[in-house]
Amino acid sequence: MQPVPIFLMFLDGVGLGSPDPGINPLAAANLPHLTALLEGRRLLLGLEPFDGALASFRSVDATLGVEGLPESATGQSTLLTGMNVPRIIGTHFGPKPDPRIRAILQDNDLIRRLVEAGFRCRLLNAYPASYFDAIRSGRRLHSAIPLAFDLAGIPLATEEDLIRGDAISADFTGRGWRNRLRYNNIPVLTPNQAGRRMAELALQDDFTVFDYWPTDYAGHFQEMRGAVRLLEMLDRVLGGMIAAMTGTDLTVVITSDHGNIEDLSVRGHTRNPVPAIILGPPAVRKIIAQRMRDLTGFAPAVLELFQIPAASGDQEEGAHAD
Ligand SMILES: [Zn+2]
């Protein structure tokens, strides 16, 4: 199979929860684009594996056989390495990678392996100058997703990339850059435009990621109206993305690292499964869906689609022999 562009639309802290609209904003929100993808089904606990006209759905285990509540650093680094990171270090850990997790990412980084095989990878998020300052000074650590790009030698997108339209704001629209960060020169997109832009950018490269963390914040904040508003905006982003990818060979994987927003009755994360919603050519969807039983399945599916051997060590040594 010829490699096709793959876009990982990562949503932090989105699990499959109860149908009670009093605690689960996914049950309360009006999400027409998502519901259409799932052909009338709602994204709730117990949703059966599904392969529809436009999308496939699988329920994905995020607990990885480890006690306690799943965390972002271990969950995201599992997605981006295929290693069971919480089992290796003996615990779920987060939100930011510690030296143990960093070392596992460094040795097994999906992004680095794709780059070394000649594929173009990009993280769509734009970061303000204050973020880079905080990283350089050690006041702040990368979360696992930007760290995986950094370790692969791919520079993170900046304010200039955002202004040119080559990157996306963490809130999709760019309003946060204007209102909170006081950047007056940032173009403001509608959610639909942001979704279209993401699909267009993802079509320019081989493997693209967008890291959307406000869903996890909304889960910790436990406020239903805000959570519903956020999910309804996300649905409009999805609408733009679907419109722009129609007729292309783009594959989009929407998934998460752990549950949170689907249960506003608790402040912390949950042990619920997370969704994998896969859009794109059915043959590609099938390969990804088969592997995504838990968070370890994503990276091997991507390596398989790009025809990169699963085990790294031996081949890499052989490649350097000449
Ligand atoms: Zn969290």
Side-chain angles (χ1 to χ4, degrees):
M1 185 182 295
Q2 279 295 100
V4 297
I6 298 175
F7 176 31
L8 171 61
M9 170 84 165
F10 173 79
L11 309 178
D12 200 312
V14 177
L16 298 164
S18 110
D20 178 358
I23 63 164
N24 184 356
L26 283 151
N30 180 27
L31 308 171
H33 296 292
L34 179 63
T35 309
L37 282 182
L38 299 174
E39 298 177 14
R41 296 159 178 83
R42 294 210 70 128
L43 198 61
L44 300 171
L45 196 61
L47 179 59
E48 294 290 324
F50 164 75
D51 295 290
L54 292 175
S56 295
F57 162 82
R58 294 294 185 276
S59 172
V60 180
D61 170 51
T63 68
L64 297 161
V66 174
E67 279 176 34
L69 297 177
E71 291 289 343
S72 284
T74 38
Q76 293 173 21
S77 54
T78 297
L79 274 173
L80 292 179
T81 62
M83 311 294 287
N84 187 332
V85 178
R87 178 164 288 170
I88 293 168
I89 69 166
T91 182
H92 297 288
F93 187 86
K96 304 291 174 71
D98 67 356
R100 296 170 299 177
I101 298 170
R102 188 188 168 95
I104 296 167
L105 252 180
Q106 187 137 30
D107 289 345
N108 305 279
D109 187 359
L110 171 66
I111 311 300
R112 188 169 53 77
R113 299 203 57 202
L114 291 168
V115 169
E116 284 172 358
F119 295 105
R120 287 169 318 190
C121 302
R122 174 150 55 161
L123 179 61
L124 290 185
N125 296 67
Y127 297 86
S130 57
Y131 178 89
F132 294 102
D133 290 344
I135 293 286
R136 265 193 297 272
S137 72
R139 276 177 289 124
R140 184 171 186 151
L141 293 172
H142 286 303
S143 59
I145 291 174
L147 179 59
F149 280 84
D150 192 52
L151 292 172
I154 297 183
L156 303 184
T158 64
E159 171 196 354
E160 287 77 31
D161 295 303
L162 186 56
I163 292 170
R164 271 201 309 273
D166 287 337
I168 297 289
S169 164
D171 65 354
F172 293 119
T173 63
R175 278 186 202 288
W177 282 66
R178 284 188 171 239
N179 300 342
R180 244 171 285 162
L181 301 172
R182 305 281 167 211
Y183 282 86
N184 296 319
N185 50 352
I186 299 300
V188 173
L189 307 179
T190 66
N192 182 282
Q193 287 170 329
R196 286 175 181 272
R197 179 77 50 86
M198 286 197 289
E200 289 158 8
L201 292 172
L203 278 161
Q204 296 173 8
D205 287 307
D206 297 301
F207 183 73
T208 305
V209 180
F210 184 71
D211 177 10
Y212 188 67
W213 43 261
T215 34
D216 188 56
Y217 275 51
H220 290 302
F221 202 60
Q222 294 180 276
E223 201 270 306
M224 179 59 78
R225 275 176 52 189
V228 165
R229 258 202 310 274
L230 193 75
L231 293 172
E232 291 181 345
M233 182 191 61
L234 191 55
D235 192 73
R236 293 197 288 279
V237 172
L238 189 58
M241 191 189 302
I242 295 164
M245 68 185 286
T246 302
T248 76
D249 58 1
L250 181 63
T251 295
V252 177
V253 180
I254 304 170
T255 192
S256 185
D257 48 358
H258 54 73
N260 185 354
I261 197 173
E262 80 285 1
D263 187 354
L264 297 183
S265 72
V266 293
R267 189 181 165 79
H269 299 167
T270 73
R271 286 179 60 83
N272 285 329
V274 298
I277 301 163
I278 311 154
L279 296 78
V284 179
R285 277 199 255 151
K286 190 175 169 192
I287 288 172
I288 298 171
Q290 270 172 351
R291 292 212 182 237
M292 284 201 73
R293 294 191 194 94
D294 64 37
L295 297 178
T296 64
F298 177 72
V302 173
L303 291 174
E304 181 181 341
L305 288 164
F306 287 105
Q307 296 172 348
I308 300 172
S312 58
D314 301 348
Q315 269 108 1
E316 277 182 10
E317 275 167 34
H320 293 304
D322 57 343

